[in-house]
Amino acid sequence: MKKLASSTALATILLSGAAHADPAVMLGLALNFGGAADTKLGLTTKLLSDNRPDQLVGAIGGTYFFDGTWGLDVGIGYTFDEAAVTLSYDFINNAPQVAAGWANIETVC
């Protein structure tokens, strides 16, 4: 009986202790490199999975390149105070992408 009570208490603590974070939006510059196309520079907007600083996050975004083309990418990133950096893969241009820019990161006191 004590094992069942302990297991139930542990499961309750683990399941209820999960933190919930809001997503963040990132605006910045993106650079596609490698792949079949030449290196491209563009403006990007990404949705990040977390709005807290110093977090590893998932990222999905769209990019307008200065040569008039578009990109759509999925990847990972890292958040800082009011900024983020991502490494992703652009599925439209078949190329890896690195991006950095401003993000609406929540300030932690």
Side-chain angles (χ1 to χ4, degrees), residues 24-31 33 44 46-50 52-60 73 75-88 97-105:
V25 175
M26 178 186 132
L27 303 170
L29 291 175
L31 180 69
F33 56 93
T44 190
K46 298 194 186 310
L47 183 63
L48 307 176
S49 62
D50 198 342
R52 294 176 294 167
D54 302 320
Q55 297 293 315
L56 186 64
V57 294
I60 185 168
D73 61 276
I76 60 170
Y78 192 80
T79 59
F80 301 94
D81 293 333
E82 302 298 323
V85 175
T86 63
L87 179 61
S88 56
Q97 181 184 96
V98 63
W102 171 87
N104 64 334
I105 303 299

Side-chain angles (χ1 to χ4, degrees), residues 13-39:
I13 290 170
L14 291 176
L15 293 174
S16 65
H20 177 72
D22 293 326
V25 175
M26 178 186 132
L27 303 170
L29 291 175
L31 180 69
N32 275 18
F33 56 93
D38 293 334
T39 302

